[in-house]
Amino acid sequence: MIKFTDIDGLKIRYRETGEGKTIVFLHGWGCSLDIFKTIHTSIANNGFKAITLDFPGFGESSEPKNVWGVYEYADFFEKFVRKLQIKDPTLVGHSFGGRVSIIYASRNENLSKLILVDAAGIKPKRSLKYYYKVYSFKTMKHIVNFILPKDKANQIIDNYRKKSGSSDYNGASIMMRSILSKVVNQDLKYLLPKIKVPTLLFWGKNDTATPIKDAQIMNKLIPDSGLIAYDNVGHFSFLERGAEFDAVIKNFLKN
């Protein structure tokens, strides 16, 4: 059943179905609770309570009023858990949702198990080409703002972003672009040893957004963890290997 709640003045959409131990699914960047529809239904029909939600700024939830980082999203999620009175949930975090899950798991005892699916959280090593691109853009932005009228400068800057920015960045609002720029530069590797609950890592070996080497680092640093990885599978492994994910998650939850 789709419901809405208010967290610090933000309207938050969520779906809550079933009875039993609670499983909360946290979606990735640019997605919404709808991406978990199939697994949500399957889990709810097998003796569990399934909860999915739209993070602020996604789906039908309100945008944050300020530029949040992943820690602000984790603070929000803790408030969501308290408001719904969720006890000892299992968290399933995909991509960006994995970032929030890592923070929550590292600082909360109110947690049963953790499932990280193609999760973000390891800051990638940047090439010289990347830094050249970033600083070239900053230089260009400074110059056009100095020599051109504001409207013309903004148009040139926006056109440059559309040509060189990622699809996530170009598809976001002004506020969410600022949030994305902050989120992607936050490294959570130091939090991984603080995760004390049983943790399952579910990954696609062809994932280019959060590569398999990130999963291997997480598996090494999280004390009680195991990694399942699939050949010829990308960043949405839980969709590409839906039947396997369904079976693995149920087995992990019941044991």
Side-chain angles (χ1 to χ4, degrees), residues 122-123 125 189 192 201 211-222 225 227:
I122 305 296
K123 187 175 180 178
K125 292 182 179 180
K189 186 163 61 175
L192 298 174
L201 306 169
I212 187 65
K213 65 180 181 180
D214 290 2
Q216 293 164 345
I217 292 172
M218 292 181 183
N219 192 35
K220 181 178 180 180
L221 294 178
I222 298 173
S225 65
L227 170 61

Side-chain angles (χ1 to χ4, degrees), residues 21-24 26 51 74 77-92 100-114 194-198:
K21 293 182 178 179
T22 302
I23 320 300
V24 183
L26 303 181
I51 298 176
F77 181 63
E78 288 174 346
K79 293 175 182 178
F80 178 86
V81 168
R82 289 195 296 269
K83 184 157 189 180
L84 270 64
Q85 299 182 342
I86 300 171
K87 302 298 183 183
D88 297 321
T90 291
L91 295 189
V92 182
V100 177
S101 300
I102 288 169
I103 296 176
Y104 186 93
S106 72
R107 66 189 193 188
N108 285 278
E109 294 183 0
N110 178 28
L111 189 65
S112 177
K113 294 181 180 180
L114 177 64
K194 299 180 181 181
I195 298 174
K196 304 305 180 184
V197 296

Side-chain angles (χ1 to χ4, degrees), residues 1 12 26-27 47 95 99 101 120 155 176 181 184 187 217 234:
M1 178 184 295
I12 304 300
L26 303 181
H27 65 76
S95 194
R99 289 183 183 271
S101 300
Q155 182 181 357
M176 297 309 292
S181 297
V184 297
D187 191 2
I217 292 172

Side-chain angles (χ1 to χ4, degrees), residues 51-78:
I51 298 176
T52 48
L53 68 146
D54 291 340
F55 278 124
F58 301 93
E60 296 182 27
S61 291
S62 306
E63 282 190 359
K65 299 174 183 178
N66 303 299
V67 178
W68 285 9
V70 68
Y71 293 97
E72 286 80 6
Y73 273 97
D75 293 341
F76 151 80
F77 181 63
E78 288 174 346

